[in-house]
Amino acid sequence: MNINWDAEKYTSDFSFVHQYGSGVAELIDAAAGSTVLDLGCGNGALSNVLHDKGYLVTGLDASKELLEIARSAYPGLAFIQGDAAGFSLPEPVDVVFSNAVFHWIDRERQPDMLSCVHRALKKNGQFVFEFGGYGNNRLIHDALAEVFSEHGYAYKVPFYFPTIGEYAALLEHAGFRVRYAVLFDRPTELKGENGLKDWISMFLKTPFSVIKDEAERETVRDQAAEHLRSALCQGGKWYADYVRLRMKAIRL
Ligand code: BEZ
């Protein structure tokens, strides 16, 4: 994944990530007692939602720090460390679930991730997921590209935000049948009067690494937030222009 998590801050200030994830979990159609892998489980909050629905859940994440939080918050659940594009399970599961993870995985590594998921699922198993889709955070990235350029830097979006058509093709190529797909806007309220700047600091560490001076990084964040104020700040509240790609596919 293209990030080193600030695990505590992520859990305290960005809880909307898992709160919104409960909607995608409703696409799972499996009996209580079914086995579910929560791929990229982070702090385990959604693994626990799945556990409360009666599933036997295993959470997998690459981040030791987030897994520590997950294990201490939900000691009754199983969590394992692993790379989403390079893992294997001892036994195949009925369902693989994932929320807000796949945009962190480069396009080139998506086929590896999808083969891992295929191997991890039983035949006819369900693959249910949501992540950032085509156009996600476009206003934010466009504003940052403009401010970076004014400062003499190139801005590179460090995420993969595919269309339905592109991702359906990858799934079909990897041995899945697509059953459901929707791409929808989900403006997302950010916490606090510096909500957008805090979001940029939390999630956009990679593109900012080309700017060596912290004071200049702060100026760039300020200027980008000012560019975006009329579009993304209403009544003193900041919103991020999220677009979600939500899909369900069956392993052939
Ligand atoms: C997302 O969930 O879409 C997302 C979160 C942080 C950075 C980029 C995308």
Side-chain angles (χ1 to χ4, degrees):
M1 288 233 221
N2 301 323
I3 192 170
N4 286 318
W5 291 102
D6 180 345
E8 304 261 345
K9 194 162 171 58
Y10 175 68
T11 298
S12 63
D13 292 359
F14 296 93
S15 57
F16 64 80
V17 176
H18 55 260
Q19 282 158 8
Y20 278 113
S22 304
V24 62
E26 281 161 26
L27 284 179
I28 299 174
D29 178 16
S34 300
T35 48
V36 178
L37 174 69
D38 181 5
L39 185 55
C41 65
N43 61 20
L46 279 173
S47 310
N48 192 49
V49 168
L50 296 167
H51 165 79
D52 286 345
K53 286 177 182 280
Y55 303 133
L56 301 175
V57 185
T58 300
L60 182 145
D61 205 280
S63 162
K64 268 194 191 138
E65 293 75 18
L66 284 168
L67 285 175
E68 247 170 57
I69 291 177
R71 288 190 179 110
S72 76
Y74 311 108
L77 302 193
F79 292 104
I80 52 178
Q81 195 183 7
D83 173 2
F87 73 94
S88 59
L89 298 181
E91 296 290 336
V93 291
D94 297 303
V95 177
V96 173
F97 169 86
S98 183
N99 180 56
V101 174
F102 299 162
H103 48 255
W104 294 101
I105 299 172
D106 294 337
R107 163 68 185 81
E108 297 66 41
R109 297 187 76 222
Q110 294 282 335
D112 290 345
M113 188 272 287
L114 294 176
S115 339
C116 290
V117 173
H118 194 272
R119 235 183 303 117
L121 273 170
K122 293 178 186 167
K123 189 166 163 47
N124 296 321
Q126 299 167 42
F127 183 26
V128 167
F129 58 88
E130 179 175 311
F131 67 106
Y134 188 71
N136 197 31
N137 308 136
R138 175 168 290 150
L139 292 174
I140 299 176
H141 294 303
D142 285 355
L144 282 164
E146 200 177 318
V147 177
F148 267 55
S149 156
E150 284 161 14
H151 282 252
Y153 301 104
Y155 179 81
K156 189 167 174 296
V157 178
F159 303 108
Y160 173 57
F161 297 138
T163 61
I164 289 180
E166 179 176 351
Y167 214 67
L170 288 186
L171 284 162
E172 286 164 1
H173 189 73
F176 294 91
R177 176 175 296 146
V178 176
R179 278 282 166 76
Y180 175 90
V182 60
L183 184 76
F184 60 99
D185 291 340
R186 196 202 66 200
T188 299
E189 188 181 329
L190 304 175
K191 216 171 166 179
E193 64 188 42
N194 291 320
L196 182 61
K197 276 181 64 189
D198 290 347
W199 185 93
I200 292 172
S201 301
M202 179 74 188
F203 293 118
L204 299 181
K205 296 186 200 312
T206 310
F208 274 78
S209 62
V210 296
I211 308 176
K212 300 298 170 210
D213 178 39
E214 175 49 30
E216 188 176 14
R217 287 203 281 263
E218 186 62 7
T219 306
V220 167
R221 286 190 284 266
D222 279 332
Q223 290 175 342
E226 280 324 301
H227 274 54
L228 289 163
R229 186 173 290 281
S230 61
L232 296 183
C233 190
Q234 282 141 33
K237 286 190 166 111
W238 284 99
Y239 295 82
D241 55 334
Y242 276 37
V243 177
R244 313 317 287 164
L245 175 58
R246 182 179 285 187
M247 297 181 88
K248 176 170 180 174
I250 303 299
R251 179 226 197 264
L252 297 176

